Structures are given as C-alpha cells and as structure tokens.
Amino acid sequence: MTPDSHALRKAKVYEAALTLTAQGISPAAMTIQQLADAAGIGKGTVYEYFASKEEIWQGLARYCFERENERIALRFGGCRTLADLEKELVDYLQEVAAQRMSTYKILAASFGQQGPLPDCTDDCRRQLNAITDELLDRLRAAGEIDPALTTAACHTALFCTVTGGLVALCCSAVSGDALPDLPQNLRDNLHRSLRAGKPKAALV
C-alpha cells in the first residue's frame, strides 16, 4: 500500500471520529467498531493503522490542527488590505462557530482529560505563526498596519479578536440571543488595534 493510500485510510478514521462527535457521541465512549462502521472499513483494518483508541486521538489532534491551518492559509492568503482581513476574519469565525465549534470543544475536553496536549501542537502552532507572519508582512508592505506595532502586538490583537469572537458566537448560539452588531464590532476592534494612519470615517 502506498503512503498516500495509507494516509487516506487514516483520514477516513479521523473523519469518522469527527462525524460521530458531531452526532453527540463522546470520544471517551466511542468504540473502535463505531469508528470502523462510520469510516466504512473493517474493525481489523482500523487496528492495522492504530494500536489503540488513544493513538487515534493523538493522530486526530494533528489532523484537525493541520486541516484548520490549511483553511486559514487559503482564506487569508488573498488578504492585501486591512479591510480584506477584517472581512475574512469575521467570515471565518462565523464559519467555525456554525460548522466546527461543537466538535472541537468535545475534542479539547477529551484531550484535557487525557493529559497534556499532543506534541504536534507545537509544530502546528509554529505553522500558524508562520502563516500569520506572512499575512502581517503583506499588510505592512501595503502600509495597512501601524509601523509602531510589534509583531507580538499584532498577534495579540488577532488572538483577542478570534477568541473573543468565538466566545461571543458560542454564547449567542447557546442562549439563542442574536448579536447583529457583533460582526461589525469585531471588524471595528481589529481595525482600531492594527490601523496605520488616520482613523477611517466609517467601516462599510
């Protein structure tokens, strides 16, 4: 079996785990048989690729983080202005909250119960930092970011917008309270944190 087909088989198991968690099945209670059935492969085949369920969760962590980095690189790779970034970031947060947040919360809880996060998180964090640094370099070259801001300050501004936005969107989903001003408020806050030059009269 080629390395590509090997990776594809493993990806099927990871996707099966994500599907089952999205259906409300706790990772702790999930069985290898359930994973095999959801992946459309035999239980023995799962054991050909993974020695234990814990090994699946470790691999799933890397799979999830790497896929998310791929989405981020694709979405923000075309940003050339701060307005581009503001729009794409808000759209991304809404996409995550609507499509993937429940799954990632369940996985995060599962990893926390098992102990430290997998080693791959350091690699994935470095990859995410590289993507972010490339984005910031483009915006600086275009004169879109206050040149007095350090890279660390820019990272903090982005991190605060992402985490604050996700918390607000999740709370809104749980409570059922609509937050119609949230997208524009997130864009305004990010702009005020990073802007170069005079303030905009208004954000469209």
Side-chain angles (χ1 to χ4, degrees):
M1 184 173 290
T2 66
D4 284 347
S5 59
H6 181 86
L8 286 173
R9 286 286 185 88
K10 294 183 80 168
K12 280 188 175 183
V13 176
Y14 297 144
E15 289 295 337
L18 293 174
T19 297
L20 291 171
T21 53
Q23 293 172 357
I25 300 175
S26 166
M30 202 176 297
T31 67
I32 296 295
Q33 187 62 62
Q34 286 176 312
L35 287 167
D37 291 343
I41 59 179
K43 182 177 179 179
T45 302
V46 176
Y47 280 115
E48 288 180 19
Y49 297 104
F50 304 98
S52 65
K53 195 165 70 169
E54 288 69 29
E55 189 175 311
I56 293 175
W57 302 134
Q58 292 291 315
L60 179 60
R62 178 180 290 278
Y63 180 80
C64 289
F65 295 143
E66 288 181 347
R67 296 296 82 72
E68 206 62 38
N69 280 349
E70 288 173 3
R71 293 184 182 102
I72 290 169
L74 182 62
R75 178 176 283 277
F76 296 104
C79 292
R80 295 294 184 276
T81 67
L82 193 49
D84 291 341
L85 173 60
E86 292 158 12
K87 178 185 182 304
E88 290 297 335
L89 187 61
V90 170
D91 288 350
Y92 171 74
L93 293 179
Q94 292 174 321
E95 172 196 308
V96 170
Q99 299 177 18
R100 297 190 295 280
M101 183 50 63
S102 60
T103 296
Y104 281 77
K105 285 196 297 185
I106 292 172
L107 291 173
S110 174
F111 294 141
Q113 292 168 2
Q114 293 179 24
L117 285 171
D119 292 340
C120 69
T121 55
D122 288 337
D123 292 338
C124 293
R125 187 183 299 113
R126 283 191 288 269
Q127 184 183 49
L128 178 59
N129 284 340
I131 294 169
T132 304
D133 288 345
E134 289 176 6
L135 167 65
L136 294 173
D137 286 345
R138 289 197 303 274
L139 296 182
R140 282 196 181 98
E144 292 284 302
I145 293 179
D146 184 346
L149 290 175
T150 65
T151 297
C154 294
H155 276 267
T156 298
L158 289 167
F159 178 79
C160 289
T161 302
V162 168
T163 54
L166 286 176
V167 169
L169 287 167
C170 289
C171 290
S172 173
V174 171
S175 66
D177 296 330
L179 298 174
D181 296 330
L182 179 63
Q184 188 60 51
N185 288 339
L186 291 172
R187 293 179 66 179
D188 289 347
N189 287 336
L190 185 63
H191 183 79
R192 282 193 292 268
S193 299
L194 298 177
R195 68 185 173 186
K198 295 180 180 179
K200 289 194 236 179
L203 290 174
V204 178

